[in-house]
Amino acid sequence: MKTDGKLGDVLFTSAQIRSRVQELGAHITRDYAGKELTLIGVLKGGAMFAADLARAVRLPVSLEWIRLSTYADGAVAGEVRRKGVDLDADLCGRHVLLVEDLIDSGLTLAWLRDHLAAFGPASVESCVLMRMHKEDRIENRPVPRYVGFEVPSATWVAGYGIDYADRHRNLPDIHEYQLPAIAA
Ligand SMILES: O=P(O)(O)OC[C@H]1O[C@H](OP(=O)(O)OP(=O)(O)O)[C@H](O)[C@@H]1O
Ligand SMILES: Nc1nc2[nH]cnc2c(=O)[nH]1
């Protein structure tokens, strides 16, 4: 039986997030000046971050969205499931920057990187707000070009677009989340 988990302390306040997003936006603006840049926000978790980051990038970017999911209801890592990939954008010759709330196993970003190669982009990089540390080396875990915050591996998070069981996405801060105990 699965019991409810618990929302824990604030890990990153909305002010910290805002300030880091501005820094990331400034880096991206510098790095992609003069290039055709398409930002692709990964739904649902990346929605808030992508919307804020897009406004922090001072370039005429295209903004697209893609929806994927790796976890069914709670926190069990599984295979990347496509919940509809509505991406008829012309990415040919464009520099693509995937915008994700977090990288954990890296399955999602690896799948996207491979999937988008078929669209003929000039480059595919990623910007993640949080990189979850892993004690175990994950083979071929993608290396994001931009990382907002490094987070210890044991930490599960919720808020600022990120859910537990589809709740808490609306919280302005990012909280630690104590996962539910699994009882037999
Ligand atoms: O690096 P990974 O282990 O692949 O995990 C990262 C992905 O997992 C979460 O999404 P989730 O599958 O929970 O879907 P959601 O964004 O719709 O909440 C998160 O938003 C990332 O997209
Ligand atoms: N650590 C961690 N926290 C999450 N909160 C929501 N999704 C995730 C995830 O993939 N990893």
Side-chain angles (χ1 to χ4, degrees):
M1 189 187 75
K2 201 168 77 174
T3 56
D4 265 352
K6 214 166 111 228
L7 205 58
D9 291 342
V10 171
L11 200 58
F12 303 111
T13 64
S14 57
Q16 286 173 311
I17 298 168
R18 220 170 15 252
S19 145
R20 192 68 187 112
V21 167
Q22 291 307 314
E23 288 173 357
L24 291 169
H27 282 165
I28 293 166
T29 303
R30 260 199 320 271
D31 294 350
Y32 286 91
K35 294 183 174 158
E36 298 291 340
L37 176 61
T38 298
L39 299 176
I40 302 184
V42 185
L43 299 172
K44 300 178 194 172
M48 311 279 183
F49 179 42
D52 287 343
L53 186 71
R55 283 173 287 183
V57 174
R58 307 289 180 203
L59 297 170
V61 301
S62 299
L63 181 56
E64 302 286 344
W65 301 95
I66 195 163
R67 178 154 186 217
L68 292 170
S69 188
T70 35
Y71 301 110
D73 218 7
V76 183
E79 143 197 14
V80 175
R81 290 178 297 119
R82 284 167 37 156
K83 271 198 181 167
V85 177
D86 179 14
L87 195 71
D88 54 8
D90 185 7
L91 300 180
C92 191
R94 296 197 58 96
H95 293 273
V96 170
L97 187 61
L98 291 161
V99 184
E100 260 284 36
D101 50 336
L102 61 93
I103 179 168
D104 197 323
S105 69
L107 276 173
T108 306
L109 276 179
W111 188 90
L112 279 169
R113 181 194 56 199
D114 297 346
H115 181 72
L116 294 181
F119 289 71
S123 66
V124 179
E125 301 277 359
S126 56
C127 176
V128 301
L129 183 60
M130 284 171 287
R131 172 162 53 195
M132 278 36 201
H133 273 197
K134 290 285 179 193
E135 280 95 33
D136 305 334
R137 245 185 95 74
I138 296 178
E139 228 176 296
N140 298 328
R141 182 163 91 148
V143 179
R145 181 164 182 187
Y146 306 95
V147 176
F149 302 109
E150 303 283 354
V151 178
S153 63
T155 313
W156 196 262
V157 293
Y160 191 63
I162 303 155
D163 72 315
Y164 179 75
D166 240 346
R167 286 181 307 207
H168 306 306
R169 294 190 197 274
N170 57 317
L171 294 171
D173 304 316
I174 294 176
H175 296 247
E176 291 190 47
Y177 193 86
Q178 284 142 28
L179 293 175
I182 310 278

